[in-house]
Amino acid sequence: MKSIIKLFTLLTLVTFFSCDKDEPATTGSMEVEFDNIAIVNGIQQQLTMATPGSATYGYTNSLGQKFNINLLRYYISAIELEATDGKVYKDVLEATASGTKGYYLIDESKPASQVIELANLPSGKYNKITFTVGVDSTGVLNGATGGALDPATSKMFWNWNSGYIALKFEGQSDASNGGVSGAETITADNAKGMAYHIGGWKNIPGTAFVYNNKRISFDFDTDAIVDAKSSPHVHMTFDVLGLFNGHHKVDFTGNHNVHKPSDGVDIAHNMEESFSFDHIHQ
Amino acid sequence: MRLYLFAISLLLFTSCGKDDKDEASLFPKLPDYFPSPVYPLNENPITQDGFVLGKDLFNDPLLSSDNSVACSNCHVKAVAFTDPQHALSLGVNERSGIRNAPPIVNMAFMKEFMWDGGVVHLDFVPPNAIENPLEMDEKMAHVVAKLNRHSSYPGRFKKVFPTMDTITSPLLLKALAQFQLMLVSQASKYDKVRQGKSEFTATEARGYETYKQKCASCHTEPLFSNQQFFNNGLDTQFADEGRARITESALDLGKFKVPSLRNVVITAPYMHDGRFKDLNAVLEHYNNGVKYSATLAAQLQSGAKPGIALSVSEKADLIAFLSTLTDYELISDPRF
């Protein structure tokens, strides 16, 4: 009998909590900006994009090869914020045909896409952010998905080997010998084109199913205080040159047409190291 | 006391008031020896309007660049939704593809799609055809735009997906899936025998025994595929790398997804490249044509020479048994 009473209490408790529709006492919001930049000689510069087909090269990789950028797009997903009291806020992840939550497609050609608004955040002092660059299995295995993951509008899906491209870079280099296929801004007859489509969400050792999405964390230098009155702005940067000049020095001669997970491993590693936390506007 | 607890659990069940409309899915009732669907039917409940919309899209050449090729060009109902003629599929402007179009039946139970298994969800299959220059040579975004401009599609989509504003690619893919999911083959003579409603002839029964001994390890009941990848000894050099195209592993060279044998009598030509015109040629391949290579399936290496020895009478029996796998109800069902 005693155990039945215990069970009853438990059940009541469960009912109570599972249907709790009340918001926490106060909530606020936060903006997380992903600012795509170029770090040249240690100095941050705003990114300059070139029109497709342009042979004007504003950037140089660490091997001295000149290049430009036509397209830059990547997914940020599964954002988590950690508060100073140890509580973790997880941005809701949802992928259905009618839309998505928690998947953000950052597109250099669309300034509005570079600022992620996290609304209904419990009030608190946040000092750490974690996010995934790319789309993990739940985003893929739900089948055709709308919103940020719509394959027709995002153009970030690999048909032949189901999965989302985490990061798409297209441009031109005088070192490239062309012949790029399957690119958006580079035509097949472009003798200097480059396409780096980086992705891969499975991990099966001994096969080409390599995991190239990256889960990255940053501590903030000051606390981001969220409450009903203040909505801080967190400024992250992504150094595009780091894709090629990072840990792995990327040679644009002969390795400039990347369209599958196994070919993107080094650049995915560089990509991970090209994100930085910059500052917070309170 | 028990009643009391029961009442509480009932309460628990309903207390959150998430009113699932629980639309009676059109998906057919399955025989008890069938597996449960792999496709998450709850995320794309099949409705009458959705299924008919999917069917009309499947038959509509609007999905191709020059409005000339529909899904049904290569997946023909009369032959269990495969291509009755072309070894290699034929797309817009008579462009020849690289593989044989497989039948589209029992897709609800498949984990992976295409001969190489590169596609992991039924929803993601159509863009491969639509955006392949050798097939429908279109862009998804352009198909979506054409559908939105169409006189009747926007209204029909809205009826199926009431919360939508405009037609989007996932809605197109969900509708196509609704039609394809309904193509369940479960009413062949073989099924009737299993359900005790019919009996095999003596030849069919002998063929069934031969099949169980020599073929069932790969073409496993009741789907007649174990959904794994094998090299069944067609080649020593692999113009089409098969599964290795996806895994890039030398261990997968020349391996292809085991095709279902349901309806096989009417789905010629055979193999990933349609190289065999009839079942006699297939059986003669297993009997006397299997070529050794490093990735050849172990099951085909148990005898003195590679392959599966089949006597003349075993072949005849096998063909009689395979003939019982044809689902005439499916291919004559006016709904499809």
Side-chain angles (χ1 to χ4, degrees), chain A residues 52-127:
Chain A
S54 159
T56 307
Y57 302 119
Y59 299 110
T60 310
N61 71 5
S62 47
L63 301 173
Q65 300 165 334
K66 293 186 184 318
F67 70 103
N68 65 20
I69 308 167
N70 304 146
L71 181 151
L72 177 72
R73 213 188 283 141
Y74 53 86
Y75 277 114
I76 299 292
S77 65
I79 298 176
E80 279 180 27
L81 293 166
E82 198 174 317
T84 48
D85 62 3
K87 287 212 178 86
V88 176
Y89 166 82
K90 292 187 180 180
D91 192 26
V92 175
L93 266 191
E94 204 177 281
T96 68
S98 50
T100 49
K101 287 185 186 147
Y103 296 91
Y104 306 96
L105 185 56
I106 311 289
D107 187 336
E108 179 56 17
S109 72
K110 294 183 184 143
S113 73
Q114 296 154 30
V115 181
I116 296 170
E117 166 95 21
L118 300 171
N120 294 322
L121 213 56
S123 294
K125 290 182 191 172
Y126 293 93
N127 64 357

Side-chain angles (χ1 to χ4, degrees), chain A:
Chain A
M1 187 63 207
K2 244 195 207 144
S3 64
I4 288 182
I5 291 178
K6 262 192 208 150
L7 188 68
F8 175 59
T9 326
L10 195 85
L11 284 177
T12 328
L13 271 174
V14 169
T15 331
F16 209 81
F17 283 110
S18 60
C19 306
D20 191 357
K21 286 207 187 80
D22 297 327
E23 309 268 276
T26 57
T27 60
S29 64
M30 181 191 284
E31 284 179 350
V32 183
E33 177 178 357
F34 283 85
D35 189 6
N36 300 318
I37 58 164
I39 300 181
V40 179
N41 300 325
I43 297 169
Q44 288 192 5
Q45 298 180 356
Q46 279 311 303
L47 209 58
T48 309
M49 302 294 278
T51 37
S54 159
T56 307
Y57 302 119
Y59 299 110
T60 310
N61 71 5
S62 47
L63 301 173
Q65 300 165 334
K66 293 186 184 318
F67 70 103
N68 65 20
I69 308 167
N70 304 146
L71 181 151
L72 177 72
R73 213 188 283 141
Y74 53 86
Y75 277 114
I76 299 292
S77 65
I79 298 176
E80 279 180 27
L81 293 166
E82 198 174 317
T84 48
D85 62 3
K87 287 212 178 86
V88 176
Y89 166 82
K90 292 187 180 180
D91 192 26
V92 175
L93 266 191
E94 204 177 281
T96 68
S98 50
T100 49
K101 287 185 186 147
Y103 296 91
Y104 306 96
L105 185 56
I106 311 289
D107 187 336
E108 179 56 17
S109 72
K110 294 183 184 143
S113 73
Q114 296 154 30
V115 181
I116 296 170
E117 166 95 21
L118 300 171
N120 294 322
L121 213 56
S123 294
K125 290 182 191 172
Y126 293 93
N127 64 357
K128 183 176 180 184
I129 187 169
T130 304
F131 54 85
T132 298
V133 186
V135 176
D136 281 342
S137 58
T138 39
V140 184
L141 294 176
N142 281 354
T145 300
L149 297 180
D150 182 332
T153 54
S154 71
K155 302 196 177 85
M156 295 289 275
F157 195 77
W158 275 319
N159 288 339
W160 61 280
N161 185 0
S162 310
Y164 286 89
I165 297 167
L167 178 142
K168 204 180 224 195
F169 171 101
E170 292 177 8
Q172 239 178 260
S173 167
D174 62 355
S176 160
N177 39 35
V180 164
S181 57
E184 278 178 58
T185 58
I186 305 294
T187 53
D189 60 358
N190 185 325
K192 298 290 168 196
M194 306 192 290
Y196 293 96
H197 297 184
I198 311 301
W201 57 278
K202 289 189 200 176
N203 184 9
I204 305 177
T207 75
F209 292 121
V210 288
Y211 183 79
N212 279 335
N213 294 340
K214 297 293 174 189
R215 186 104 182 120
I216 314 180
S217 291
F218 291 101
D219 292 323
F220 299 154
D221 56 349
T222 54
D223 296 343
I225 301 163
V226 172
D227 57 35
K229 276 171 294 186
S230 48
S231 30
H233 182 100
V234 175
H235 196 112
M236 309 292 304
T237 58
F238 176 66
D239 171 27
V240 184
L241 305 197
L243 282 177
F244 310 114
N245 300 347
H247 191 96
H248 305 275
K249 310 291 174 220
V250 176
D251 184 346
F252 295 148
T253 315
N255 172 29
H256 56 274
N257 192 19
V258 173
H259 292 284
K260 54 185 190 180
S262 56
D263 283 348
V265 176
D266 286 357
I267 294 185
H269 185 183
N270 285 352
M271 169 182 88
E272 177 176 17
E273 294 174 351
S274 301
F275 285 91
S276 301
F277 163 73
D278 204 71
H279 63 272
I280 289 174
H281 295 290
Q282 186 52 51

Side-chain angles (χ1 to χ4, degrees), chain B residues 16 31-32 39-41 62 80 106 108 112 118 142 170 177 186 211 214 217 235 264 302 312 315 320-321 323 333:
Chain B
C16 295
D32 55 10
Y39 191 96
L41 291 167
L62 176 147
N106 293 340
E112 288 159 322
H142 195 226
Q186 51 152 330
Y211 152 81
K214 304 195 167 174
S217 68
D235 295 301
V264 72
S302 54
V312 173
K315 285 190 203 167
F321 168 66
S323 305
D333 191 326

